[in-house]
Amino acid sequence: MARFSFRGFVYVLIVMLGLLSAAPNILPQSIKQQLPTWYTTSTLSLGLDLQGGSHLLLAADTNALFEKQLNSFSSDLLSELRSQNVRYTKTSHSLTHKDSRSGSVVFTLRSADDARKVKDTAYQISAQPNGSSALDVEIKQSTVTLTLNELYTEQLVKDTLSRSVEVVRKRLNETGLTEPSVTLQGKDAILVQMPGMSDPTQVKKLLGTTAQMTFHWAANSQSEQVMNKQDAAGNTYRLEQKVALEGEHITDAAGVLSSENGQPVVTFRLDSAGAKQFATMTRDNIGRVLAIVLDDKVVTAPVINSVIPGGRGEITGNFTLPEAGNTALMLRTGALPVPLTIIEERTVGPDLGSDAIQTGVESGVAGALLVLAFMVAIYGRWGAIASFALCINMALVFGALTLFGATLTLPGIAGLILTMGMAVDANILINERIREESKKGRPSASAIEVGFEKAFATIVDSNFTTLIAVSLLFIFGSGPIKGFAITIALGLVSSVFTAVALTKMLMLRAVKLKKRNTRDRTPMRFSSPLLRLSDKLSGINFLAKRKIALTVSIVLTVLSIGFFAKPGLHYGVDFTGGTMIELTAPTLTTDELRNVIESNGFEQIAIQEYGSEHHYLLRAPVLDSSGELENSNAKQTDALKRAISKADSEVSFDKIDMVGPKVSGGFAELSILALLIAGGGMLVYLWARFEAHFASAALLTVILDLTKTIGFFALTGIEFNLTAVAALLALIGYSINDKVVVLDRIRELLRLDPNKPLADTINEAVNSTLSRTVFTSVTTLLALLPMAIFGGDAVESFAVPMVFAVVIGTSSTLFITSTLLYLLGSRREKQGKAQLKPTAEEIKASLSHIP
């Protein structure tokens, strides 16, 4: 008794912690004012798709970074070799592949005897703190090839991206943005999220400019390596390639009006080291031209007439005052160490965000109420206990999301709704097991204990297989999809706790109170019209029409494959790349909008009336396949917005998705990989937990479910995007969950009577779990239907296919999995093999009879 009390205390403690974590999200402001700030500010953050804002994904041009470093090292090496009288010829430089470290510098030694000097000098020049060399030196027949070391480039990219994140964050903070988020994503990308910003044009200019400023002397007869640079007017300057002074010494800058001519200029101040270096170099080079190069352009090239002490200077050029201010801002916050390119842009207007919140909340509440009402309708007061546990479950999920500082997105809300539908499964499974034990005449408490014990393994198996699929969503997904995965994962873990621990405690408490009041020791009673109806459905021979069922399933799969080939999937910009703009133009008709677009020289832009009147959807493909295409699409999007805004001053851009091919090109591969790994992971797990033919039957059925759902996408024309991939992975988890319950019952019955005909065992197992299968499917549909009907276009690619998938998955569990298992099991019987491997206890018992 003491043990149970302690366990109950722990359960209550967990629930209270979850509720307290979730509470700040719903507390009224009057109560929040009386509580500590550290507690009331710990709330769920809303994603950009709910509150509006912009999201930019910036890719680092590592190719330029590697080229710069290789040039620097090779220049120093060649200079040092000349000082050692090492002679060489035929210097060449090449970068042979985009975004790789395969650039090289090649030169030929006049004497092969100098090879050792080259290697030693290269090591001295490029030695790293850990003792390694940044340069790899290969010498063949006096030909020297210099490349960057792979470990060095990996560390270089890591350090450069870390510095880039800090520079981007400083620039955004200087603009006064509210709580911008800047984080690393992947190996070479930076994710920038700006809540409340509906037009990121100016920010894109700031982030798309590296602001790398360097000082170079004009070349003369003594100059060794020379480069040509142009200014804004097209004038060419011959400059020394060697940097005389780095812009990183700048500590402050300001855009002001010149006191001499009133023109906008940028003033700057150097740090102490830079000031000393600047004074020395100007003192030693009076009469020479010193060019200031900003982002590969000469902005000014004055003649040094005297020493410039104090570390202060002025950059003149054809600046407007805002341009001078932006340039100063970038110099103040530091240069980006590597160029950043916008490869993905997503913008959601505040009105669309608020609509998403409203539809998400309304559909979620409607689905939840339907599920709770259905549970009470099935199991009466025991269903009410399960419904209470479900409410606690959702509160715990919110508490965990809040505690972890998660961001709630629209797919996240969809995940919560799906989680509730799937969480009911554990409660239904437990109630059905208790109902079975009660029919055998067990007293209430005993029926509860045995029912929970028998359901536990099945619950763990079914939820673990779902977690395999969900974990892949987190690994391969991004942004909102990660939120969807986290929500479902937390929901599954929480549902196991509430169903197995909390519900059991509440049911036992209810039975104990009943005994105390009435001294009733009769079995628990489950009586409702739905349960009586489900009992009448028992005794169905699901294998009688197995050939017809399997034939129909295969025909539908073949048709689905045909639909996949033609008309094919309607891919979204996540996969195709390009731009999608959702806008409202109150004063423009479709024809007028088309004329505006065409008259401004924009081609291949599809216009579609979308939803209400004057609401349009524009689609623009990727412009070309060159290395500059991300910038090209970003510039096209900005120019298109300006043209439409000029034609209609009241236009509002509700949503913008711009995905460059660097991003979209990886989505298809990652999606296929995720699906394959999900299938493989589940196969391995099921193979370990069940027999090989059990796992094969389940996985083959899931593959058939998957192909039919893909065919549904093709047939209906629903956009296939990253949310659709989430739906497919959720389908895999849901479908395998459904099948594990039936397989677990078949295995249980085979253990009880291994000599019973396989067909009878399978039919008995499917019939004994039929109520659970049907009720779980209905509750999941009740949770999904409001979202599918009222959730809007943002979740259409998830909710509608999931409704179809639940129907297909349920029917395949009843007819296809059972048929495939029967066929594979019959084959196993013909081979003289048992349906199940002997357990450890059975092996031990058989060995005990051996003398």
Side-chain angles (χ1 to χ4, degrees):
M1 186 69 183
R3 182 183 174 187
F4 175 78
S5 299
F6 176 75
R7 186 183 303 171
F9 172 75
V10 173
Y11 293 164
V12 171
L13 194 64
I14 293 173
V15 171
M16 291 302 297
L17 178 63
L19 294 178
L20 286 172
S21 299
N25 295 289
I26 58 173
L27 288 176
Q29 192 61 36
S30 57
I31 297 179
K32 283 186 177 182
Q33 292 175 352
Q34 302 175 21
L35 297 173
T37 306
W38 61 265
Y39 175 66
T40 57
T41 54
S42 179
T43 59
L44 269 175
S45 300
L46 296 180
L48 298 183
D49 55 352
L50 293 178
Q51 64 173 315
S54 294
H55 147 131
L56 299 175
L57 187 63
L58 310 169
D61 185 358
T62 53
N63 192 43
L65 175 66
F66 297 155
E67 183 174 16
K68 177 183 176 182
Q69 292 302 116
L70 184 58
N71 279 337
S72 176
F73 283 129
S74 62
S75 178
D76 291 343
L77 173 62
L78 294 176
S79 178
E80 183 62 27
L81 291 178
R82 285 194 298 273
S83 69
Q84 298 179 22
N85 293 319
V86 175
R87 301 303 175 188
Y88 58 87
T89 57
K90 300 180 182 177
T91 302
S92 67
H93 174 270
S94 67
L95 281 174
T96 59
H97 193 273
K98 187 179 186 296
D99 293 332
S100 76
R101 68 175 194 93
S102 56
S104 63
V105 170
V106 182
F107 60 91
T108 304
L109 295 172
R110 293 185 182 179
S111 173
D113 296 336
D114 291 326
R116 174 51 57 187
K117 284 186 179 180
V118 172
K119 288 192 173 183
D120 291 343
T121 306
Y123 176 79
Q124 292 171 6
I125 286 177
S126 64
Q128 300 300 298
N130 61 3
S132 65
S133 172
L135 285 176
D136 284 337
V137 181
E138 182 181 358
I139 303 178
K140 291 183 179 179
Q141 298 178 349
S142 299
T143 299
V144 182
T145 302
L146 304 177
T147 55
L148 293 177
N149 180 272
E150 185 175 0
L151 292 177
Y152 170 75
T153 57
E154 290 177 359
Q155 188 60 44
L156 179 64
V157 171
K158 183 179 179 181
D159 294 343
T160 300
L161 282 175
S162 297
R163 295 204 313 272
S164 297
V165 166
E166 291 305 313
V167 172
V168 169
R169 186 176 288 119
K170 286 179 181 177
R171 289 188 184 181
L172 294 177
N173 289 337
E174 287 265 352
T175 63
L177 282 175
T178 304
E179 297 182 354
S181 170
V182 184
T183 54
L184 284 174
Q185 180 157 313
K187 294 182 179 179
D188 63 348
I190 297 173
L191 178 64
V192 178
Q193 293 183 306
M194 299 164 286
M197 173 164 282
S198 57
D199 186 4
T201 304
Q202 291 301 318
V203 170
K204 286 193 291 183
K205 289 181 180 178
L206 284 178
L207 302 184
T209 305
T210 56
Q212 289 181 336
M213 193 173 86
T214 53
F215 297 80
H216 296 262
W217 291 113
N220 55 28
S221 57
Q222 281 77 40
S223 301
E224 296 173 351
Q225 290 181 305
V226 178
M227 62 181 183
N228 291 325
K229 296 292 181 183
Q230 291 184 330
D231 61 12
N235 300 314
T236 302
Y237 295 82
R238 292 184 73 251
L239 306 175
E240 289 184 351
Q241 190 173 30
K242 184 178 180 181
V243 176
L245 181 68
E246 293 280 1
E248 63 187 23
H249 290 290
I250 294 176
T251 58
D252 193 17
V256 298
L257 295 176
S258 172
S259 58
E260 297 180 1
N261 55 23
Q263 295 300 311
V265 296
V266 177
T267 61
F268 64 87
R269 186 175 74 245
L270 302 172
D271 59 20
S272 57
K276 290 178 182 178
Q277 185 179 345
F278 197 53
T280 300
M281 58 187 275
T282 53
R283 181 193 64 205
D284 297 341
N285 292 274
I286 292 175
R288 289 188 70 180
V289 172
L290 180 63
I292 299 177
V293 179
L294 181 64
D295 286 338
D296 221 31
K297 289 284 185 182
V298 176
V299 291
T300 185
V303 176
I304 302 302
N305 295 318
S306 61
V307 179
I308 305 177
R312 293 181 179 273
E314 184 177 278
I315 305 173
T316 60
N318 296 320
F319 294 118
T320 63
L321 195 56
E323 288 173 344
N326 281 341
T327 302
L329 182 152
M330 290 183 285
L331 293 178
R332 276 198 311 273
T333 55
L336 284 169
V338 64
L340 298 177
T341 303
I342 298 172
I343 58 175
E344 181 180 324
E345 175 187 345
R346 299 183 189 272
T347 301
V348 177
D351 292 339
L352 192 62
S354 60
D355 290 343
I357 294 176
Q358 183 177 353
T359 56
V361 171
E362 289 176 354
S363 60
V365 170
L369 291 176
L370 288 173
V371 168
L372 297 179
F374 187 68
M375 285 296 291
V376 174
I378 301 173
Y379 299 112
R381 65 168 176 156
W382 309 115
I385 290 175
S387 295
F388 175 75
L390 283 173
C391 293
I392 296 296
N393 176 40
M394 298 309 292
L396 291 178
V397 173
F398 271 105
L401 290 171
T402 304
L403 204 59
F404 295 150
T407 299
L408 185 64
T409 62
L410 196 56
I413 293 177
L416 286 171
I417 297 170
L418 181 61
T419 295
M420 169 162 273
M422 296 175 68
V424 174
D425 177 58
N427 288 278
I428 291 177
L429 191 61
I430 289 167
N431 275 288
E432 287 299 306
R433 281 290 194 176
I434 294 173
R435 196 159 72 99
E436 289 178 13
E437 298 304 318
S438 297
K439 287 180 180 179
K440 295 177 184 178
R442 284 186 182 275
S444 300
S446 176
I448 292 173
E449 292 286 354
V450 175
F452 271 89
E453 182 181 346
K454 288 186 175 182
F456 181 74
T458 307
I459 291 171
V460 171
D461 281 337
S462 59
N463 281 280
F464 192 84
T465 51
T466 304
L467 280 173
I468 292 175
V470 170
S471 64
L472 292 169
L473 274 178
F474 182 80
I475 294 171
F476 295 105
S478 61
I481 301 303
K482 283 184 180 289
F484 172 81
I486 291 172
T487 301
I488 291 186
L490 289 174
L492 289 174
V493 173
S494 176
S495 67
V496 171
F497 165 72
T498 53
V500 174
L502 185 63
T503 305
K504 181 180 180 180
M505 184 180 72
L506 293 174
M507 292 182 79
L508 286 173
R509 178 63 61 180
V511 169
K512 185 177 180 181
L513 289 174
K514 183 180 179 182
K515 285 182 179 179
R516 184 182 302 169
N517 294 333
T518 65
R519 302 180 181 277
D520 184 10
R521 296 183 179 274
T522 59
M524 296 172 66
R525 296 183 60 187
F526 292 86
S527 179
S528 71
L530 289 173
L531 287 177
R532 287 194 293 271
L533 179 62
S534 70
D535 289 338
K536 291 179 181 179
L537 294 176
S538 60
I540 300 174
N541 189 345
F542 288 96
L543 294 177
K545 304 295 182 181
R546 59 181 179 274
K547 293 182 180 178
I548 296 176
L550 191 57
T551 301
V552 170
S553 179
I554 293 173
V555 168
L556 289 176
T557 296
V558 171
L559 287 175
S560 296
I561 295 172
F563 291 141
F564 176 75
K566 189 175 183 180
L569 295 175
H570 177 50
Y571 291 104
V573 292
D574 291 330
F575 287 93
T576 62
T579 304
M580 184 178 73
I581 302 177
E582 189 178 325
L583 61 90
T584 303
T587 66
L588 295 178
T589 64
T590 305
D591 290 336
E592 289 171 341
L593 180 59
R594 183 175 290 107
N595 289 336
V596 169
I597 292 172
E598 292 177 353
S599 62
N600 281 275
F602 297 105
E603 299 177 356
Q604 298 181 327
I605 294 181
I607 304 174
Q608 174 187 348
E609 286 192 71
Y610 187 67
S612 59
E613 189 178 5
H614 297 296
H615 197 68
Y616 304 99
L617 188 67
L618 309 184
R619 293 178 182 271
V622 172
L623 293 182
D624 62 53
S625 58
S626 67
E628 298 298 324
L629 51 123
E630 284 90 357
N631 279 333
S632 298
N633 268 72
K635 291 176 181 176
Q636 181 199 48
T637 302
D638 292 338
L640 183 60
K641 288 171 61 180
R642 286 195 299 270
I644 297 174
S645 298
K646 187 176 180 180
D648 185 351
S649 59
E650 299 179 22
V651 67
S652 62
F653 295 95
D654 304 315
K655 186 178 181 182
I656 297 174
D657 287 339
M658 191 283 291
V659 180
K662 184 173 182 180
V663 175
S664 62
F667 274 149
E669 290 82 355
L670 285 177
S671 300
I672 294 171
L673 183 63
L675 293 174
L676 289 175
I677 295 178
M682 290 178 181
L683 180 63
V684 170
Y685 181 77
L686 292 174
W687 217 310
R689 290 287 294 148
F690 295 89
E691 308 301 318
H693 55 307
F694 279 62
S696 300
L699 192 62
L700 286 171
T701 312
V702 171
I703 292 173
L704 293 174
D705 293 345
L706 197 61
T707 54
K708 294 184 186 74
T709 307
I710 292 174
F712 177 79
F713 273 104
L715 186 62
T716 58
I718 294 174
E719 186 176 278
F720 193 82
N721 49 31
L722 203 54
T723 307
V725 176
L728 293 180
L729 283 167
L731 155 67
I732 291 176
Y734 178 85
S735 184
I736 205 74
N737 180 312
D738 213 28
K739 289 148 185 61
V740 164
V741 173
V742 176
L743 294 176
D744 186 74
R745 184 59 66 91
I746 294 172
R747 181 176 59 179
E748 179 185 330
L749 295 177
L750 284 171
R751 296 275 183 217
L752 292 174
D753 189 359
N755 297 319
K756 190 174 184 178
L758 181 60
D760 293 347
T761 300
I762 292 175
N763 271 319
E764 183 181 347
V766 176
N767 277 284
S768 61
T769 57
L770 183 60
S771 296
R772 172 263 155 206
T773 302
V774 173
F775 289 154
T776 297
S777 299
V778 171
T779 52
T780 307
L781 285 174
L782 290 174
L784 288 170
L785 278 173
M787 181 169 54
I789 298 171
F790 306 110
D793 303 294
V795 293
E796 180 188 47
S797 297
F798 173 82
V800 176
M802 274 304 298
V803 169
F804 172 82
V806 168
V807 176
I808 287 294
T810 303
S811 59
S812 70
T813 297
L814 299 176
F815 295 98
I816 308 304
T817 303
S818 57
T819 296
L820 290 175
L821 182 60
Y822 174 74
L823 295 175
L824 293 172
S826 298
R827 181 186 175 191
R828 192 179 179 93
E829 285 181 351
K830 292 178 181 178
Q831 295 174 343
K833 297 179 181 178
Q835 295 296 331
L836 299 177
K837 294 177 183 177
T839 63
E841 290 78 9
E842 290 172 340
I843 294 174
K844 185 177 180 180
S846 63
L847 291 175
S848 65
H849 296 293
I850 299 176

